Structure formats: C-alpha cells, structure tokens
Amino acid sequence: MASSATLRLRPHAAFDVLRYLFLALMTVVTIVPFAYMLAVSFNSPQDSQHIPVYWIPPHPTLDNYRPFFQAGLDSPLLRSLANSVFVATASTLAVLTVDALAAYGFTRLRLPGTNVIFGIILLSLMVPVQVTLIPIFLLMRDLHFLNSYNALIWPAAAGAFGVFLLRQFFQAIPVELEEAAAMDGANIVRIFWSVDLPMVKNALVTLAVLTWLASWNDFFWPLIALSSDDKFTAPVEITALNFAPSQSVGPLMAAAALVATPPLIFYVIFQRRIRAAVMTTGLAGR
C-alpha cells in the first residue's frame, strides 16, 4: 500500500518540480534586465562598455547619476519625475472616486437599465486602447485640455476595470449591515462612507496601486497629448534625453533606474494589501 501511495504522489511531485522550475525561469527573466540596468548605471564609462558585462562593478561610481542632480529642480529628468508623481497621484484619486461611486451605484441602486449600462461598460474592456485614441484626442482638443495635465488625468478616470473590480467586492457585502446602519439613522452617503468603503479597502488599495503604476508607466498617450518639455512625464523625458552614439550607456541606465525606482517602492509598500485583495476576491462578507 505504501508503494501505491508513493506512485500516486509522484505525478504531483513532478508537477511541483516543473512549476518551481518555471517560476524560477520567469524570475530570472524578470530580474536580469533590472540587474543589468543597475550594474551598468554604477559602472564607470570604461567598465560599462566591457564585454562580458560587469554584473558587480569593479570600480563603482555615482558619476552617471551626478548630472541629473547637479541642476537640482532645473534638471529635466527630475522635473519629469515630479510631473509623473503628480499625474499618477491625481489620476489615482480620480479613478478611486469615480469608480467607487459608479460601482456602488451599480450594486445597490435598482434603476431601470442598470444591467444594460453595466454590460456596455464590460464590453468596453474588450476594445483596444488604440481604437479610442483618436476620439479621446478630439475630445481633449475640444475641451482645450491638450498639452496640460488635464489630458492625462481625466481620461483615466473613465476606466471600466475599476468599476468591475469594486462592484464584485460591493456585492459580497451583506445587505444586513447596511440595513442595520439605516435603522440607526444613517443615510445612504453615510452608509457608503462608513460601512461599505472600509470593507472594500483591500480592493481600493489594489486598484490604487494598479492605476498608479499604469499612469506612471504610460508612454504613448502622454507623448501624443503633451508638446511642452516642461510637462513631459518621466517615460517621455527618457526618450528626449540626448546622448551621443559614442557616449557611454551609463547615464541612460542611470536615468532608467531613477524612473523605475518609485513604482518599485510603491509596490513594495502596498504588496500585502494587494495579496489580501486577491485572496479575498469573491468571498462573502469580504
């Protein structure tokens, strides 16, 4: 009987080995570009051109970072980083406000055509972003929002993913909690703010992180909507940096490292909330 049990366990063990090998491979594929970026950014100009690459800089230096900080706030890269922080934060607040109100309305307000409207919102998730670029551009032009932060913030507030995500969490909240709050004299606004929102805080944090990262990493739309150098976000500013073909790649890798650092820090701070939201998705009362 022991041998038969061992035979039954072997397929599962083999599957676990293959799974961990796959995860290890994906980890290496993900980490190697970041490791290369950091290694080259701390290498001297001579060492950064060495083949094979010095993964551990033999003569570490901050010379590649120094030009970006010497000019202070007048540095184009630092200014673009500040622009990205402002745009990503404002976009996140707009998304949380609009999507939370919309998701709560679709969950609790029984109005004619609610399900039809929500179905249309879900269908919009299947439309490629590139298809909507021209209508959004024309709308921003008519509103005189082009070449301003408004063109980057307000289109993001109309995302359908956040409405769908938060609606799933609002639906899992027992209606009895809201009825008890109503019996105590709370109106619908107080119920939404004091009862429902605290119970979906993990989903709100997850949506905030995803929105912030998406806004920070967005390159195509800011490139189209912005024309002034002083309003460029960090991904656009990196492409505008002028490096001679013969120049070392160290400064470019240093700029890339500065742009990649804030989202990594942002994710590390909130990763526990993200895991909690994923694990509690679909569970009643969460």
Side-chain angles (χ1 to χ4, degrees), residues 4 49 98 115 166 188 195 218 272-273:
S4 62
Q49 298 179 358
V98 174
N115 293 333
L166 294 178
I188 188 172
V195 177
D218 191 13
R272 187 173 64 179
R273 289 286 189 184

Side-chain angles (χ1 to χ4, degrees), residues 104 108 169-188 190-200 283-286:
Y104 184 77
R108 293 292 186 257
F169 279 81
F170 280 131
Q171 283 184 328
I173 298 176
V175 181
E176 292 76 11
L177 294 177
E178 299 179 357
E179 293 175 348
M183 292 179 62
D184 290 337
N187 56 28
I188 188 172
R190 183 63 182 272
I191 293 174
F192 171 73
W193 182 261
S194 301
V195 177
D196 292 322
L197 279 186
M199 297 194 68
V200 298
L283 298 181
R286 297 295 182 92

Side-chain angles (χ1 to χ4, degrees), residues 3-271:
S3 60
S4 62
T6 303
L7 291 176
R8 287 197 301 269
L9 290 176
R10 282 179 180 175
H12 298 285
F15 177 77
D16 289 339
V17 171
L18 292 177
R19 182 176 60 180
Y20 286 121
L21 287 176
F22 176 77
L23 293 176
L25 178 61
M26 291 297 100
T27 301
V28 172
V29 171
T30 304
I31 291 179
V32 165
F34 287 99
Y36 173 80
M37 175 183 67
L38 291 176
V40 175
S41 68
F42 287 107
N43 273 323
S44 63
Q46 296 77 17
D47 294 337
S48 62
Q49 298 179 358
H50 185 271
I51 300 177
V53 177
Y54 285 126
W55 294 99
I56 299 178
H59 308 95
T61 178
L62 294 176
D63 290 343
N64 295 321
Y65 292 89
R66 191 167 289 113
F68 301 118
F69 293 96
Q70 285 178 341
L73 294 179
D74 293 332
S75 171
L77 183 62
L78 295 184
R79 183 175 62 244
S80 68
L81 288 173
N83 293 340
S84 289
V85 170
F86 172 76
V87 170
T89 303
S91 299
T92 300
L93 294 176
V95 167
L96 292 179
T97 302
V98 174
D99 289 1
L101 291 173
Y104 184 77
F106 281 120
T107 305
R108 293 292 186 257
L109 302 181
R110 304 301 180 185
L111 301 175
T114 300
N115 293 333
V116 175
I117 297 176
F118 183 72
I120 296 174
I121 292 177
L122 289 183
L123 287 176
S124 68
L125 291 173
M126 305 178 187
V127 179
V129 177
Q130 293 77 7
V131 175
T132 62
L133 282 178
I134 294 178
I136 293 176
F137 180 86
L138 295 178
L139 178 61
M140 294 298 103
R141 183 199 62 184
D142 294 340
L143 293 174
H144 303 288
F145 281 174
L146 290 180
N147 196 31
S148 70
Y149 299 133
N150 288 316
L152 306 182
I153 295 172
W154 295 115
F161 172 75
V163 177
F164 170 73
L165 176 67
L166 294 178
R167 181 177 180 268
Q168 302 306 111
F169 279 81
F170 280 131
Q171 283 184 328
I173 298 176
V175 181
E176 292 76 11
L177 294 177
E178 299 179 357
E179 293 175 348
M183 292 179 62
D184 290 337
N187 56 28
I188 188 172
V189 176
R190 183 63 182 272
I191 293 174
F192 171 73
W193 182 261
S194 301
V195 177
D196 292 322
L197 279 186
M199 297 194 68
V200 298
K201 59 184 178 182
N202 288 333
L204 290 173
V205 172
T206 301
L207 180 60
V209 172
L210 295 178
T211 303
W212 199 92
L213 294 177
S215 178
W216 180 275
N217 295 323
D218 191 13
F219 167 75
F220 194 46
W221 175 242
L223 182 65
I224 295 175
L226 301 177
S227 57
S228 300
D229 295 347
D230 60 337
K231 293 184 175 63
F232 280 172
T233 56
V236 178
E237 182 61 36
I238 284 185
T239 63
L241 294 176
N242 295 319
F243 293 106
S246 59
Q247 188 176 356
S248 170
V249 296
L252 184 59
M253 292 296 103
L258 290 175
V259 174
T261 299
L264 289 177
I265 296 175
F266 194 77
Y267 176 78
V268 168
I269 294 174
F270 295 104
Q271 61 176 329

